[in-house]
C-alpha cells in the first residue's frame, strides 16, 4: 500500500467518524467536534514544529493557548471608559515603569565594571524600580477594579473586529515565547520542559488573579463573533424559508449554519498554516532544523547557530498555538481562565503529535482530529457499553454500580491505551516522517 493510499484511508476514516456521529447522535455535535478538531490540529501543528522539526520539548503549550485567548479580549471587546478614566493611565504608566526598570538593570549590567559596584548598582535599580512600579500600579488597579465589578471591573479592549485577534494572538504568544526562549533554551531538554510548564502556570495564575486585565475568574463573556447570531437568523424570513425548504426548524438550522461558518474559517486557517509548514519542512531551512535536531554537535561544527535556530522555531510554534487559542476563545464566545488545564491544552496535544507522527505535518493534523474525536466520544460510548453489559444485573448490585461509575474514566484509559498501541506497533506514528 502506497503512502498516499494509506493517508487517504486514514482521513476517510476520520470523515466517517464525524459523519457517523452526525447520523447516530446529532449534526450539531458532529460539527462541534469538527470545529474543535480543526483547532486541535492547528495546536498539534505548532507543537510538531517545535518537537518534530527541532526536538524542543515544550510542555507549556497551555500558556501560549491562553495568551491567544487573552488577545481575543484585548482586541475585540470595547474599552470600558469609566475604568480608563478611573485608573487606566496609571496602570499603563506603571507597566512602562516596570519595563524601564528591567531595561535600566540590563544597561547597568553592561555599563558598570564587573564586581561589587555592578551588583550594588543593579540591586538599587531593581529595588527602587519595583517600589515605584508598585506604588503607581496598585492604586491604578484598585481604581479600575472598583468600576462596576459585577459586569466590568477591567479596562476592556480596543473594540476592533474579532478576526484581527487571531494573528494578534499569535504575535502575543510569539513575544512571550521569545522572552522565555532567551532564558530557557540554553537549558537541557528536561530542564526546558520544567521551565516551560512552570511559566505556563504563571501565565494562567496572572489571568486568574489580575481582574483589571481580563476580569480574572469572573470571566469575560459576550465576545464579538465573526458569524451572525442565531437569534438574528431565526428572525430572518428568508433564512426561515430556506430552513423550511430543507426540512429543518429555524433553531436547529441557525445553529448548524453558524457552526458551519466557523468550520469554514477554521479550515482556511488550517490550510494556510499547513501549506506554510510543508513549505518550511521541505526548504533548506527545514532540512537544517532537522539536521540540528538529529545532531546538534555536528550542526554546530558546520557553523550553524543552534541556539538562534531553536529560538526561531520555538517562537514560530508558540505563535501557531496562540492563533489556535484565539480561535478557540472566539468559538466559545468567552474567556474562562479556570478552564485552562495542562491535561487538555498540553498533554492531550502531545498525544495528538505522537499518535499522528512526530515530524509529519499531515500526521499532526490526523492526530488532532482522531484524538479529539476519541476525547469527546469515548465517555458516552463507554457509558453505553457499560449499561449494555450490566443490563442483566440487579439494580444496586455493587459490580453494576462500579462499572457504571468507571465509565467516567474511559477518556483517560482510552488515551493511554491508544498511545501504548501506537508506540508498540507504529512507534513513529500513524503517518511517520519521510
Amino acid at each position: 500500500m502506497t503512502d498516499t493510499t494509506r493517508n487517504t484511508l486514514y482521513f476517510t476514516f476520520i470523515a466517517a467518524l464525524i459523519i457517523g456521529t452526525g447520523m447516530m447522535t446529532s449534526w450539531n455535535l458532529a460539527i462541534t467536534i469538527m470545529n474543535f478538531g480543526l483547532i486541535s490540529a492547528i495546536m498539534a501543528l505548532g507543537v510538531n514544529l517545535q518537537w518534530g522539526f527541532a526536538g524542543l520539548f515544550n510542555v507549556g503549550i497551555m500558556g501560549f493557548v491562553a495568551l491567544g485567548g487573552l488577545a481575543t479580549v484585548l482586541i475585540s471587546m470595547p474599552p470600558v471608559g469609566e475604568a480608563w478614566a478611573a485608573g487606566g493611565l496609571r496602570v499603563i504608566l506603571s507597566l512602562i515603569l516596570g519595563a524601564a526598570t528591567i531595561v535600566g538593570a540590563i544597561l547597568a549590567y553592561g555599563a558598570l565594571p564587573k564586581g561589587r559596584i555592578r551588583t550594588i548598582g543593579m540591586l538599587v535599580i531593581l529595588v527602587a524600580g519595583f517600589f515605584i512600579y508598585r506604588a503607581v500600579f496598585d492604586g491604578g488597579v484598585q481604581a479600575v477594579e472598583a468600576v462596576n465589578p459585577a459586569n466590568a471591573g477591567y479596562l476592556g479592549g480596543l473594540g476592533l473586529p474579532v478576526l484581527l485577534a487571531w494573528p494578534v494572538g499569535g504575535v502575543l504568544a510569539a513575544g512571550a515565547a521569545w522572552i522565555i526562549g532567551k532564558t530557557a533554551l540554553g537549558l537541557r531538554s528536561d530542564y526546558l520542559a520544567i521551565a516551560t510548564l512552570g511559566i505556563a502556570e504563571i501565565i494562567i495564575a496572572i489571568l486568574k488573579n489580575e481582574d483589571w486585565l481580563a476580569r480574572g475568574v469572573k470571566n469575560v463573556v459576550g465576545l464579538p463573533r465573526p458569524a451572525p447570531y442565531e437569534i438574528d437568523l431565526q428572525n430572518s424570513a428568508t433564512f426561515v424559508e430556506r430552513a423550511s425548504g430543507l426540512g429543518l426548524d429555524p433553531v436547529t438550522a441557525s445553529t448548524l449554519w453558524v457552526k458551519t461558518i466557523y468550520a469554514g474559517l477554521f479550515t482556511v486557517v488550517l490550510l494556510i498554516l499547513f501549506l506554510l509548514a510543508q513549505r518550511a519542512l521541505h526548504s533548506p531551512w527545514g532540512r537544517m532544523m532537522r539536521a540540528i535536531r538529529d545532531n546538534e554537535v555536528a550542526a554546530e561544527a558546520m557553523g550553524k547557530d543552534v541556539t538562534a535556530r531553536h529560538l526561531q522555531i520555538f517562537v514560530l510554534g508558540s505563535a501557531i498555538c496562540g492563533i489556535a487559542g484565539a480561535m478557540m476563545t472566539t468559538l466559545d464566545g468567552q474567556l474562562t481562565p479556570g478552564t485552562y488545564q495542562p491535561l487538555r491544552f498540553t498533554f492531550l496535544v502531545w498525544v495528538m503529535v505522537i499518535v499522528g507522527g512526530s515530524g509529519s505535518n499531515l500526521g499532526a493534523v490526523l492526530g488532532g482530529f482522531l484524538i479529539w474525536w476519541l476525547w469527546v466520544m469515548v465517555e458516552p460510548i463507554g457509558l453505553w457499553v457499560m449499561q449494555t453489559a450490566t443490563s442483566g444485573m440487579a439494580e444496586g448490585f455493587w459490580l453494576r454500580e462500579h462499572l457504571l461509575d468507571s465509565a467516567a474514566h474511559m477518556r483517560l484509559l482510552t488515551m493511554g491505551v491508544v498511545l501504548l498501541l501506537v508506540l508498540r506497533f507504529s512507534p513513529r506514528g500513524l503517518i511517520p516522517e519521510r
Side-chain angles (χ1 to χ4, degrees):
M1 183 184 297
T2 64
D3 290 345
T4 302
T5 303
R6 183 196 59 203
N7 297 345
T8 302
L9 290 176
Y10 281 148
F11 282 96
T12 301
F13 177 69
I14 294 297
L17 288 178
I18 295 175
I19 293 173
T21 302
M23 296 176 64
M24 298 297 293
T25 55
S26 73
W27 289 106
N28 189 5
L29 175 61
I31 299 178
T32 299
I33 291 176
M34 184 171 68
N35 283 334
F36 280 101
L38 289 165
I39 295 173
S40 298
I42 293 173
M43 292 183 192
L45 269 180
V47 175
N48 187 57
L49 272 181
Q50 296 173 337
W51 174 251
F53 281 35
L56 296 179
F57 190 34
N58 171 23
V59 289
I61 305 163
M62 173 184 66
F64 300 113
V65 172
L67 287 174
L70 174 63
T72 308
V73 174
L74 299 181
I75 294 298
S76 65
M77 290 300 287
V80 181
E82 294 182 18
W84 276 100
L89 294 180
R90 290 187 64 182
V91 172
I92 299 300
L93 176 60
S94 67
L95 296 178
I96 294 174
L97 290 172
T101 299
I102 296 173
V103 172
I106 294 173
L107 293 176
Y109 181 85
L112 295 175
K114 185 177 180 180
R116 183 176 297 179
I117 295 178
R118 174 192 285 179
T119 303
I120 294 175
M122 290 185 63
L123 285 175
V124 169
I125 293 173
L126 290 173
V127 172
F130 174 78
F131 281 105
I132 295 172
Y133 155 76
R134 292 302 306 217
V136 178
F137 178 77
D138 290 347
V141 166
Q142 291 175 4
V144 168
E145 294 179 353
V147 175
N148 192 12
N151 297 314
Y154 76 123
L155 294 174
L158 299 177
L160 299 175
V162 69
L163 289 180
L164 292 178
W166 297 3
V168 172
V171 171
L172 190 59
W178 184 85
I179 296 173
I180 295 167
K182 290 295 286 185
T183 57
L185 283 178
L187 302 174
R188 210 172 64 192
S189 60
D190 48 351
Y191 294 143
L192 173 64
I194 295 170
T196 52
L197 178 61
I199 291 168
E201 292 291 348
I202 291 171
I203 291 172
I204 300 303
I206 291 173
L207 288 181
K208 287 181 178 179
N209 292 286
E210 300 297 332
D211 288 8
W212 64 271
L213 184 61
R215 285 179 52 80
V217 294
K218 298 175 184 175
N219 304 336
V220 177
V221 298
L223 291 171
R225 304 167 58 174
Y229 286 91
E230 290 84 352
I231 189 65
D232 295 332
L233 294 175
Q234 295 164 22
N235 291 329
S236 170
T238 303
F239 182 83
V240 172
E241 182 179 351
R242 291 177 180 174
S244 300
L246 296 173
L248 297 172
D249 64 275
V251 175
T252 302
S254 62
T255 302
L256 293 176
W257 178 241
V258 168
K259 291 186 176 182
T260 302
I261 292 175
Y262 278 115
L265 292 172
F266 296 163
T267 300
V268 169
V269 176
L270 175 60
L271 288 176
I272 292 173
L273 293 175
F274 176 78
L275 292 175
L276 291 175
Q278 284 292 91
R279 291 287 297 273
L281 178 64
H282 298 295
S283 68
W285 178 85
R287 290 191 289 272
M288 176 188 66
M289 294 306 308
R290 284 182 287 175
I292 292 174
R293 175 198 66 189
D294 295 337
N295 195 325
E296 290 186 15
V297 175
E300 281 186 319
M302 295 296 293
K304 305 302 180 184
D305 190 341
V306 173
T307 302
R309 299 287 78 79
H310 277 172
L311 177 62
Q312 188 178 60
I313 204 162
F314 186 71
V315 168
L316 289 174
S318 300
I320 293 176
C321 292
I323 293 171
M327 293 165 59
M328 187 186 66
T329 301
T330 303
L331 179 62
D332 289 339
Q334 59 183 354
L335 176 66
T336 53
T339 61
Y340 289 105
Q341 301 293 333
L343 176 63
R344 164 66 182 93
F345 294 104
T346 294
F347 299 108
L348 192 64
V349 179
W350 270 101
V351 173
M352 295 171 183
V353 173
I354 294 170
V355 169
S358 175
S360 168
N361 292 318
L362 197 61
V365 174
L366 175 68
F369 279 104
L370 176 61
I371 296 303
W372 180 252
W373 186 89
L374 289 172
W375 184 256
V376 174
M377 295 302 298
V378 156
E379 186 173 338
I381 291 175
L383 180 60
W384 175 79
V385 169
M386 293 300 180
Q387 289 174 339
T388 303
T390 60
S391 58
M393 298 182 183
E395 189 75 26
F397 183 52
W398 69 269
L399 181 58
R400 182 175 188 273
E401 297 298 324
H402 174 73
L403 292 176
L404 291 177
D405 291 340
S406 67
H409 306 291
M410 290 297 292
R411 277 180 171 177
L412 300 179
L413 175 63
T414 302
M415 293 301 106
V417 170
V418 168
L419 190 57
L420 287 174
L421 289 174
V422 169
L423 292 176
R424 171 62 181 84
F425 296 103
S426 183
R428 296 175 61 202
L430 297 177
I431 303 180
E433 178 184 5
R434 297 298 181 190

